[in-house]
Amino acid sequence: MIKLAASILSADFSKLGEEVRTLDEAGADFIHIDIMDGNFVPNISFGIPVVRDIRKHTKLTFDVHLMIEEPSKYVEQFVKSGADIITVHYETDRHIDRTLNYIKSFGVKAAVAINPGTPVNMIKNLLTTADMVLIMSVNPGFGGQKYIDYSYDKIREVKKYADEIGRDILIEVDGGVDSTNIKKVVEAGANVVVAGSAVFKNGDIKKNIELLKGSI
Ligand code: DX5
Ligand code: ZN
């Protein structure tokens, strides 16, 4: 079963509660929440109180993607604000194995993300611990960028390594996914697909989600 994770980075922040309810009714599986600190990535999005407040509007899985330095410092606060999955970037944490176990100690799912420029090999050992791997298919920081083609190979590589150790992990792909490439992303091995601009474009969320799901 493929999960569609709708990224609220492309939502109207002045009515986030309503946007999240619309995503829920329209059939999104996860709410993908991009946290940016203006340091690890060249953009600032929103923080912990926003996650806490939108939690009241849906029971959907909160898939929190931390694009911040020193992510382990904030794990507990994101758990308390309602995160179900917490993703930290390999590039931001010298002790990523410890952080993944720390996240799991709160009873939520732990995920590791890699930037386009980071080879899959760097996180191979973490596949024994991580509940999910997030392959960035754009350089993180902004919605609406073009999918980087070599990401397909990286998805296949994660899937191969996970199969080798018999782990049925979540493989998430984030950035530049739309109705023209979602099938190929899933065929490569992704089972969680993030979409931001493809979900919110032209304001018809329900139609966009139907198109994305129907294109798999
Ligand atoms: C980018 C974020 C993505 C972004 C995806 O740094 O991590 O989640 O919202 O947006 P689209 O689907 O528009 O590429
Ligand atoms: Zn993201």
Side-chain angles (χ1 to χ4, degrees):
M1 180 62 189
I2 309 301
K3 306 281 189 197
L4 182 73
S7 168
I8 55 169
L9 189 64
S10 295
D12 180 341
F13 291 173
S14 70
K15 50 169 187 173
L16 259 188
E18 191 185 322
E19 297 273 62
V20 166
R21 287 200 305 275
T22 305
L23 291 170
D24 190 331
E25 287 156 16
D29 299 297
F30 293 173
I31 303 295
H32 183 85
I33 301 175
D34 289 306
I35 308 293
M36 303 180 178
D37 66 354
N39 195 9
F40 174 60
V41 288
N43 195 9
I44 298 174
S45 56
F46 47 78
I48 292 152
V50 173
V51 180
R52 179 197 65 210
D53 285 356
I54 59 171
R55 185 68 277 184
K56 299 165 197 148
H57 294 270
T58 178
K59 292 195 163 50
L60 287 181
T61 295
F62 270 16
D63 167 27
V64 176
H65 178 192
L66 298 182
M67 286 163 276
I68 60 176
E69 299 288 352
E70 300 194 74
S72 60
K73 274 190 182 172
Y74 303 97
V75 164
E76 187 167 4
Q77 291 182 74
F78 279 106
V79 171
K80 286 187 175 149
S81 70
D84 299 295
I85 305 172
I86 296 185
T87 302
V88 292
H89 269 260
Y90 168 79
E91 300 86 0
T92 60
D93 196 328
R94 290 196 195 94
H95 302 288
I96 188 88
D97 178 86
R98 178 190 288 152
T99 301
L100 292 176
N101 283 299
Y102 177 57
I103 294 169
K104 288 170 78 164
S105 76
F106 290 98
V108 301
K109 286 194 160 78
V112 58
I114 51 171
N115 282 337
T118 303
V120 171
N121 189 39
M122 305 307 281
I123 56 154
K124 189 178 175 188
N125 294 325
L126 298 172
L127 296 184
T128 58
T129 308
D131 298 300
M132 181 171 91
V133 170
L134 190 169
I135 303 290
M136 284 306 305
S137 43
V138 297
N139 287 292
F142 305 94
Q145 302 181 80
K146 191 182 171 310
Y147 182 92
I148 297 173
D149 268 330
Y150 62 69
S151 310
Y152 295 118
D153 286 339
K154 295 179 75 179
I155 303 165
R156 281 185 208 106
E157 209 179 338
V158 173
K159 173 82 176 124
K160 180 173 142 281
Y161 288 150
D163 285 351
E164 274 171 19
I165 58 168
R167 287 210 70 216
D168 186 18
I169 59 166
L170 296 172
I171 302 176
E172 182 174 54
V173 175
D174 185 8
V177 177
D178 60 22
S179 60
T180 69
N181 58 14
I182 191 166
K183 191 176 170 64
K184 219 173 148 187
V185 166
V186 168
E187 281 172 355
N191 48 24
V192 184
V193 183
V194 179
S197 44
V199 163
F200 286 93
K201 69 171 184 197
N202 308 322
D204 196 340
I205 291 174
K206 194 162 171 43
K207 196 173 132 211
N208 292 335
I209 289 183
E210 271 168 21
L211 175 64
L212 284 165
K213 289 194 157 185
S215 304
I216 293 172

